[in-house]
Amino acid sequence: MQDQQGHKAGVVALIGRPNAGKSTLLNNILKQKVAITSPKPQTTRFSIQAVYEEERGQIIFVDTPGIFSQVKDPLARKINPRAEETLNHGVDAVVYVIDHTREREHEENKAFGIVRKARVPKILVINKTDVDEPTHRIQYKFMEEEFDAIVEISALTGKNIPGLLDAIFSVLPEGKAQIDTAHLTQPGLNIDSKMFVAEIIREKAFLFLRSEVPYTLTAVVDELTKRDNGTLYVKARILTSDERYKPMIIGKGGTMIKEISMAARKELETAGDKKVFMELTVEVDPHWMDYL
Ligand code: GDP
Ligand code: MG
């Protein structure tokens, strides 16, 4: 058993626009040491993306859904305050990832507005520093004074990820590990969870359908089996609350659903280091929100 003296533990909200590099960053952090993903939406307000553990302590990375949402949609409006609340309850630090190769734009401003109000230590991560051009770094400069630390990394190459971990550990409170990781599959990500796989599908659907059907959908995984040849077989459904969204989710000639399924499959293959076969369909279920 580990001496708890000096042992740090806490929850870190990982925030950033779609494509900022959050998943790449987590994959890279997890590669360096033992860590596990186990979403537990029933017991926490947010889904756990990963648990990182080492001598210095335990970091629980969580996701804050809705922080980058369109506020026009009535359900999104409900989710947004939730995201804001999450940052002030049960989160010990915020890691805000920006992509300097993209223009700042409106959604980033809104998310930054929420982040800057969080009353916990905040770390600004400037990602993709392996890329010099294009850069819009100047547009993000004003953010820097709102943060307790600024860390430049490349999630892709792994550059300065140890520096980011140093920054996180330096702001986390002392305490003992909150999640017992001993019984979980390790090392690597636990892609054997239906909930985790559903989260990834939902995330990809949000990403590709952003302006069209925000928050009218969710994903359910009906089957998750390891085949004899080592591939992981996933049978899943996207549920939408309204008939009129179904054709948009499917796309012309099935292109949209194919794109969602392919992106989710790719992410699962990277996370689990095995081939994934995914069967994804769309279904109208006006009541899916009632099951949440
Ligand atoms: P997420 O939506 O925030 O989870 O972003 P992802 O981790 O899926 O990354 C989005 C895209 O950016 C992927 O194509 C990544 O390979 C790429 N990416 C992420 N981090 C870096 C980085 O540090 N440098 C470069 N060049 N590309 C990156
Ligand atoms: Mg991601």
Side-chain angles (χ1 to χ4, degrees):
M1 205 47 217
Q2 192 162 5
D3 184 5
Q4 297 302 338
Q5 189 72 36
H7 186 273
K8 303 272 187 119
V11 175
V12 170
L14 187 64
I15 297 165
R17 270 197 281 190
N19 279 317
K22 300 177 295 297
S23 300
T24 310
L25 174 61
L26 281 183
N27 283 336
N28 213 317
I29 288 177
L30 303 195
K31 240 193 279 159
Q32 318 206 342
K33 278 268 170 156
V34 173
I36 305 95
T37 291
S38 74
K40 290 182 183 146
Q42 294 95 338
T43 54
T44 61
R45 288 157 187 271
F46 25 69
S47 57
I48 294 171
Q49 301 285 299
V51 182
Y52 173 80
E53 242 174 4
E54 55 149 89
E55 308 74 48
R56 283 179 288 181
Q58 184 182 68
I59 308 171
I60 302 169
F61 288 99
V62 301
D63 186 22
T64 48
I67 211 164
F68 277 96
S69 63
Q70 306 243 334
V71 207
K72 269 182 264 143
D73 185 271
L75 180 60
R77 230 184 282 135
K78 267 197 260 166
I79 290 172
N80 241 322
R82 215 201 284 169
E84 199 166 330
E85 222 191 71
T86 302
L87 292 186
N88 285 315
H89 297 277
V91 167
D92 299 296
V94 171
V95 167
Y96 190 50
V97 182
I98 59 167
D99 174 357
H100 75 97
T101 68
R102 266 171 74 200
E103 299 218 46
R104 202 174 72 228
E105 293 166 350
H106 184 56
E107 57 172 0
E108 184 91 80
N109 294 342
K110 271 197 314 200
F112 174 66
I114 294 171
V115 167
R116 67 194 287 264
K117 279 188 270 171
R119 298 184 294 270
V120 292
K122 297 180 276 285
I123 298 167
L124 179 67
V125 168
I126 302 168
N127 189 29
K128 309 200 183 179
T129 57
D130 57 298
V131 181
D132 294 328
E133 290 288 335
T135 184
H136 301 281
R137 191 98 184 237
I138 200 96
Q139 296 183 0
Y140 297 92
K141 195 81 193 154
F142 79 101
M143 292 182 175
E144 295 185 2
E145 65 187 48
E146 302 281 346
F147 289 85
D148 301 279
I150 296 143
V151 186
E152 296 186 17
I153 65 158
S154 167
L156 195 65
T157 68
K159 191 181 94 191
N160 203 27
I161 286 180
L164 172 59
L165 290 169
D166 290 347
I168 294 172
F169 278 119
S170 76
V171 299
L172 280 194
E174 285 195 9
K176 57 179 201 284
Q178 293 167 31
I179 288 185
D180 176 17
T181 53
H183 65 286
L184 294 167
T185 334
Q186 41 184 316
L189 292 143
N190 177 17
I191 66 166
D192 306 332
S193 150
K194 284 184 179 174
M195 201 88 88
F196 173 61
V197 173
E199 266 305 297
I200 287 185
I201 296 170
R202 194 184 59 93
E203 187 205 66
K204 297 308 167 197
F206 270 38
L207 180 61
F208 290 113
L209 291 158
R210 224 145 19 118
S211 56
E212 291 163 71
V213 283
Y215 302 103
T216 70
L217 60 82
T218 193
V220 209
V221 172
D222 296 310
E223 199 185 327
L224 193 62
T225 31
K226 246 177 245 146
R227 294 240 163 111
D228 290 341
N229 59 7
T231 45
L232 183 73
Y233 172 75
V234 182
K235 191 170 165 27
R237 284 171 298 151
I238 289 179
L239 304 182
T240 175
S241 51
D242 202 311
E243 191 70 51
R244 73 198 144 113
Y245 294 127
K246 198 174 164 180
M248 293 183 205
I249 299 168
I250 294 170
K252 257 210 190 87
T255 46
M256 181 56 84
I257 187 85
K258 240 179 256 159
E259 198 153 16
I260 294 167
S261 149
M262 199 159 64
R265 183 175 58 75
K266 265 180 57 190
E267 183 147 336
L268 286 171
E269 285 182 345
T270 313
D273 202 25
K274 61 175 82 130
K275 265 199 103 50
V276 173
F277 183 83
M278 186 178 295
E279 216 168 295
L280 185 61
T281 53
V282 183
E283 215 174 273
V284 178
D285 182 346
H287 303 296
W288 70 259
M289 274 177 231
D290 305 341
Y291 321 137
L292 292 182

